[in-house]
Amino acid sequence: MYFWEKSIKMKTTEIRFLIYEFQSIGELPENDQLLIQEARKITAWAYAPYSGFHVGAAVLLGNGQIITGNNQENSAYPSGLCAERVALFYANANYPDSEVKTIAVSAANDGILVSEPVKPCGSCRQVMAEAEMRFNHPIRVILDGQDSILVLNGVEILLPLSFSKKDLASPNPSTGRE
Ligand code: THU
């Protein structure tokens, strides 16, 4: 036991989330199946000559449009971008008034779908959190894999205690200014 756990004044918060797991794409509703198929399809056009890891993302917008994206690598490694951000930034650039309802992410190695559900990187989680916050609407996240598919009802599950616009606006205790 750590010394602070003995403090009677201490408040603890437990964060619990539900993660839905499916064994195959056929178990999901038709809309989700379609989105996953789009994410799988676009992995084929990923530009990933350095990692060989081909990721695809498909975003369903409130206006019914499906936007897809894939990872775009670069010889100057940090200049590349993940599939999720390619799709989300394109969606926001072209349909700024449409909320993101669902994002599906797939990945393939040598043209073969990865067996475990793909896990978005921290930066993509942060960008998803921003998209969610913009429209004050939880985004369903579908993480695709050959052996199992995970469905999360909200980005908070991927990124609890996230930094957001609200933190930028919180008053400074010493100056009282925002
Ligand atoms: N990548 C994605 O596009 N999305 C993810 O969720 C994980 C990683 C890409 C970045 C890089 O091009 C390659 O996969 C290997 O990290």
Side-chain angles (χ1 to χ4, degrees):
M1 182 181 276
Y2 295 105
F3 73 91
W4 61 80
E5 287 181 291
K6 293 186 193 140
S7 162
I8 39 166
K9 284 191 183 154
M10 185 187 68
K11 182 185 165 199
T12 58
T13 305
E14 187 182 3
I15 304 176
R16 304 179 84 211
F17 297 120
L18 287 181
I19 296 177
Y20 300 90
E21 184 170 352
F22 299 85
Q23 304 309 313
S24 73
I25 189 170
E27 295 170 11
L28 283 120
E30 220 167 286
N31 261 359
D32 290 343
Q33 289 189 34
L34 184 73
L35 205 63
I36 295 168
Q37 294 294 10
E38 291 297 314
R40 287 182 182 182
K41 241 191 282 170
I42 204 76
T43 61
W45 292 345
Y47 179 65
Y50 303 103
S51 71
F53 192 65
H54 294 226
V55 186
V59 172
L60 174 66
L61 300 180
N63 66 6
Q65 290 257 359
I66 292 178
I67 304 299
T68 55
N70 44 31
N71 50 332
Q72 298 294 317
E73 297 185 349
N74 195 282
S75 53
Y77 290 2
S79 304
L81 203 62
C82 294
E84 295 91 322
R85 277 177 286 163
V86 169
L88 286 168
F89 288 157
Y90 182 91
N92 205 32
N94 290 279
Y95 305 98
D97 299 327
S98 246
E99 81 267 23
V100 175
K101 284 188 160 311
T102 312
I103 181 168
V105 191
S106 293
N109 259 324
D110 290 328
I112 299 166
L113 183 65
V114 293
S115 47
E116 295 243 325
V118 57
K119 316 292 189 311
C121 79
S123 297
C124 288
R125 291 174 194 218
Q126 182 68 31
V127 168
M128 287 183 207
E130 183 87 18
E132 198 171 71
M133 189 212 60
R134 273 199 70 201
F135 293 98
N136 200 18
H137 182 282
I139 298 175
R140 288 177 65 246
V141 182
I142 302 175
L143 305 177
D144 186 27
Q146 190 73 255
D147 297 344
S148 79
I149 298 171
L150 305 181
V151 178
L152 320 176
N153 287 325
V155 175
E156 202 194 352
I157 301 171
L158 286 173
L159 193 65
L161 302 178
S162 66
F163 181 78
S164 78
K165 196 179 169 189
K166 277 184 269 159
D167 300 299
L168 287 174
S170 68
N172 180 321
S174 58
T175 63
R177 275 188 273 119
E178 291 201 347

